[in-house]
Amino acid sequence: MEDTGHYHFNLLHHLLKEGYSTYLINPSKTDAERKLTGNITKNDQQDSMQIADILAYPARKKLYRKVDMTFFSMDEQKSLTRLHADLTEQLCPIGNKIQKSLDILFPEYNSLFGGHYGKTYMKILMTFKSATNIAEADISDIKEAMKHNGRGRGVSFTAEDLQALARNSVAQANKGEEYALEARLNQYTVVAEQLEKVDKKIEELSKETNSPMLTIPGISHLSCTTILAEIRCIGNFNSAAKLTKFAGVAPKHYESSQFDAKHCSISKKGNKYLRKILYQIITPVINNNKVFKDYYDKKISEGKSHRCAQGHCVRKLLRIIFHILATGEGFDPNKLK
């Protein structure tokens, strides 16, 4: 059957439980075969015939792969890490809309904080919503909203500082925008709380798995679990090059007659979740390992751009991940070149 989204999961799981030999084919392969025959019709019936035609020729065996129950071995982790990715993507536009409201209601507010969306940051906004309300509020109410409970440092400014800033603000009074800000703050809080719960569960599962990949400096429980969940089983790849291609970070090569392109982008024809997490972690990996830092600096000295040098480091990291998962060995920087 075609390996398309999640639509085949239940049937695949049932067939494997019943002991059937089951194979998956990449839908891009059937599409390419269809185009080779000059067939412009695309429907389920034609796709089924195309798959049957591929199965009829032993030489085309490389177009599909046999799967077993290990296909479902990382399903829980995969669901959670993809949920983490979805929730993170939801936070960004909500945060942008919060900042848009702040630009109208209290544009100077962010200057008081080192970062956004901490507990005190959110509590003050939820309580007062605008510079106008803070300017007119009783100072004791402001102090109450600024009370710090829990871990971490409190704010470095006083209630008097906040009120003075509000009274000198160039903000507008806009009740409609206040309602919008309150709604977005509630949205952000709900999504952030869900994200925190998901991350705790991912960490629990990662500690249970205790993958040797965690020995690589710069790789967290989240990134380790994401990589494992997207790869599923390292036995699906017979070389690091295949894993690199699966991640969509293999460089393209374009050559025609006397022309040979020297600067090509990565293919991006692969697993977008795996590719994204690799580029997210490559900076801490470079910063925490001298061999990676030297390799990055070498590529920069050769005239590569920052992003291109990162890509070289990502492929180096994938080669190391392939070796670690295939052998079960921990990370040893002394073996790197």
Side-chain angles (χ1 to χ4, degrees):
M1 63 187 75
E2 284 190 323
D3 188 2
T4 308
H6 65 278
Y7 300 105
H8 61 294
F9 284 0
N10 286 359
L11 177 58
L12 175 62
H13 189 269
H14 176 74
L15 291 173
L16 290 172
K17 272 178 58 179
E18 294 299 316
Y20 288 93
S21 294
T22 315
Y23 300 79
L24 291 180
I25 184 169
N26 191 320
S28 66
K29 304 294 186 183
T30 55
D31 187 54
E33 288 287 316
R34 177 178 58 81
K35 290 176 180 177
L36 280 174
T37 61
N39 192 346
I40 61 173
T41 303
K42 172 72 172 75
N43 55 46
D44 289 343
Q45 290 78 14
Q46 288 291 337
D47 285 347
S48 297
M49 292 300 294
Q50 196 68 60
I51 293 171
D53 188 48
I54 291 171
L55 291 172
Y57 295 93
R60 294 181 175 181
K61 190 174 181 179
K62 63 181 181 180
L63 296 180
Y64 53 90
R65 71 186 194 280
K66 187 175 183 178
V67 293
D68 55 30
M69 288 301 287
T70 59
F71 182 87
F72 297 96
S73 61
M74 296 292 291
D75 268 12
E76 185 176 1
Q77 289 89 333
K78 190 170 186 177
S79 296
L80 288 171
T81 53
R82 290 200 173 184
L83 177 58
H84 169 94
D86 291 342
L87 291 173
T88 303
E89 286 186 7
Q90 288 179 40
L91 280 181
C92 186
I94 297 172
N96 289 340
K97 289 175 182 177
I98 289 173
Q99 296 307 313
K100 176 258 183 183
S101 295
L102 271 181
D103 287 343
I104 296 170
L105 297 171
F106 197 171
E108 300 85 1
Y109 185 71
N110 285 334
S111 66
L112 294 171
F113 296 86
H116 300 168
Y117 313 121
K119 288 184 178 179
T120 305
Y121 181 100
M122 298 291 278
K123 188 178 178 183
I124 293 171
L125 282 182
M126 286 294 292
T127 304
F128 299 105
K129 302 176 187 65
S130 70
T132 303
N133 294 337
I134 293 174
E136 296 172 354
D138 188 281
I139 197 68
S140 62
D141 293 333
I142 299 176
K143 288 179 179 179
E144 182 63 29
M146 289 176 58
K147 276 186 179 178
H148 177 69
N149 298 315
R151 295 177 297 175
R153 294 180 300 175
V155 293
S156 58
F157 57 90
T158 65
E160 289 78 10
D161 293 333
L162 176 60
Q163 190 167 60
L165 187 66
R167 286 173 175 172
N168 291 296
S169 175
V170 295
Q172 298 179 39
N174 186 324
K175 288 297 181 183
E177 201 63 47
E178 285 185 27
Y179 290 131
L181 176 61
E182 183 177 14
R184 287 158 185 161
L185 289 171
N186 283 324
Q187 282 181 315
Y188 192 97
T189 301
V190 169
V191 176
E193 288 175 352
Q194 290 175 334
L195 185 60
E196 186 177 357
K197 291 178 182 178
V198 169
D199 287 350
K200 284 182 180 178
K201 185 60 179 175
I202 290 172
E203 185 173 349
E204 288 175 12
L205 292 173
S206 178
K207 287 178 178 178
E208 289 176 12
T209 305
N210 194 26
S211 170
M213 201 195 311
L214 287 168
T215 60
I216 303 175
I219 290 188
S220 65
H221 288 291
L222 171 63
S223 54
C224 176
T225 304
T226 302
I227 292 169
L228 289 173
E230 297 305 329
I231 291 174
R232 288 187 181 270
C233 177
I234 197 63
N236 294 331
F237 308 93
N238 55 24
S239 69
K242 293 287 180 66
L243 180 58
T244 302
K245 186 177 180 181
F246 174 75
V249 296
K252 294 178 183 176
H253 180 70
Y254 184 83
E255 184 178 345
S256 179
S257 185
Q258 301 300 313
F259 176 74
D260 186 4
K262 300 299 182 186
H263 301 284
C264 292
S265 61
I266 59 175
S267 67
K268 291 191 178 180
K269 286 190 176 181
N271 188 301
K272 67 176 182 179
Y273 293 97
L274 179 55
R275 182 168 58 255
K276 183 176 181 179
I277 198 70
L278 287 168
Y279 273 96
Q280 285 177 344
I281 65 173
I282 198 59
T283 297
V285 168
I286 291 170
N287 292 340
N288 285 280
N289 190 285
K290 186 177 184 304
V291 175
F292 273 96
K293 182 65 169 66
D294 291 344
Y295 188 61
Y296 172 84
D297 291 340
K298 176 177 178 290
K299 293 301 175 183
I300 292 293
S301 68
E302 292 172 357
K304 308 289 185 184
S305 68
H306 165 68
R307 199 63 170 171
C308 182
Q310 279 190 323
H312 282 279
C313 290
V314 164
R315 289 188 285 277
K316 186 179 184 71
L317 177 60
L318 275 175
R319 292 192 291 272
I320 292 169
I321 289 173
F322 177 82
H323 176 79
I324 285 176
L325 295 181
T327 63
E329 296 179 5
F331 177 72
D332 185 356
N334 296 320
K335 293 182 179 180
L336 297 179
K337 297 180 180 180

